[in-house]
Amino acid sequence: MDPLRHNASSQSVKDTSFEVEDVYEDDELTLQQSNSFAQADVFPLQEQRPTVSPSSRDDTKVAVDQKAPHRSSSPTHRLRLSLNERQLRAVTFPLQSQLQILAGPGTGKTKTLISRVIFLLSQGVHPSNIIVTTFTVKAANEMRERIAAMVGPSVASRLVLGTFHSIARRYLIKYGYLIGLPTGFQIADETDALHFIQSVMKEVDPESDKNDCRHARNAISNMKSRAIQPSSLSALEYTTQEMMQVYSLYQDKLAEANFLDFDDLLLKCMELLRTNSLVVSNIQAVLVDEFQDTNVVQYQLMKLFAARRSNITIVGDPDQSIYAFRAAESTNLLRMRQDFQDTSVVSLEENYRSSGHILNAALAVIQQDTERIQKTVLANHDEGHMPVFFPARNPYIEARHIVKEIQRLIDFSCGMFKPHDFAILVRSARLTRPIESELTKAGIDYRIVGGFRFWEREEIKLLVNYLVVVKSRRSPALLDIINSPRRGIGSVMQAALLNHANAYQVPIWDAIQRAIDGQVRVNAKVRASLKQFVDIITEAEKLRSSSERSGGYMGCSMGKRDGFEGAYSIFLCNST
């Protein structure tokens, strides 16, 4: 629906509990009158209709007409019956209100948010007048699918549902001309943004490297997330004058190429809505998922989306705020209560995921934060098994204990438990190595979720190739490692070395030595890089020879002087 058009018709939708004035386009009235999401098919007026007392804002009591007839054939009726008391209270909260749903893990927040959307539809709110923001594209797609399963894809597709960035992009494509945004603008992904930053950094500091560029990229993104412009004096609280120069030049480069980065999508949309409020004058309800992870700009966008009617529902859990490094501010919960004095709060307390002992252990840790917003979570399941804390002296003992425990449970269950019944969680992917080793020794199949097995990782394959070359200089793996990490021996130089080796019937290694000795014409920089590479292999060969004589381990340490920037330092058993 285009809110700038004026041929709108007014239609009131009333029931015994609420009065809502809805405005629809003439050509959209047919959708409202169709059976695709008529009230009787969503939250039937004839079935259990909640009556909410407007005077009680927090923990509102819901009176349900128990004499109303049931419609068990309606899928949305079954959904309604599946909601617990607090979920139902949140779902059926009055329109034209501000509601915070504080939902801990496993309390059914997604189902509650989806049910809230369906309830709004049942109250006559047109789907194109509802904005629903999610934290990820995946979450948005899943939510749309679940809504479509209940009200039909034609209705679900009309919802303004997506991440803040995708919704902002939608408005900028349609209305960006109102703020002078050129048509056909492109979006700079992380790779594009880094390329622009590198171009700027070479102008400001010719000695800058990739780490400096990544640091500049993160610093600029953090400032944008706080709505800080390059010309703002307050930016100096977060960074230096030099960084502000980089920021300003970076914005100039983007503008010249007609690019917006992801942060610009939000900033430009905020500028659009502040100067052209009619763009969102049709919006009747704004719902925000994962509210604890919103930043300053996203919070302002939420307010601008809801500027006409201030009908806002947010779902969040301040205990799960983990994106402060991306400028997320869990204090937005308190900021909302200050900006909207009548904000109501409903806490979802029943956890349907974890046992009682698990929840108690988690709460014992979380409640040590004396500044947290106080809330509790109650287990819907029984107490379950007590968590076990095993203090291991090192990662290898820990790994052996984990694998032995898995074997014990499989044996104890007489094979009822299978390897796929177990999950091992780690804080970082690099910590899986000892566990993978022990699982392999025990013959237990496993798979890495969201990553690669240890031996499939690029850096590990690279180091293994180095060890293969250390064992045999004639290995074809030599060409795989000669420019990894990059040392200026590109494909042209490699082709020249290969041609020389073929012409003189010598190994590649000998061709490299001849280039170092001046028998193959190369420039001084490439000659120095080749010598550095040969020195690495020669030193590793000496270590291998020494370890063979002592019967011990071969240590292969590659540091900054070798071009590895300290990224890899490994100790592997003798490759023989």
Side-chain angles (χ1 to χ4, degrees), residues 453-465:
R453 288 174 177 250
F454 182 80
W455 299 107
E456 295 172 352
R457 297 171 192 166
E458 288 300 319
E459 69 273 19
I460 301 305
K461 289 193 288 187
L462 172 63
L463 290 171
V464 168
N465 282 338

Side-chain angles (χ1 to χ4, degrees), residues 492-511:
V492 174
M493 188 64 242
Q494 291 179 39
L497 291 171
L498 189 59
N499 290 337
H500 181 89
N502 291 335
Y504 290 90
Q505 295 295 301
V506 296
I508 293 288
W509 182 266
D510 290 354

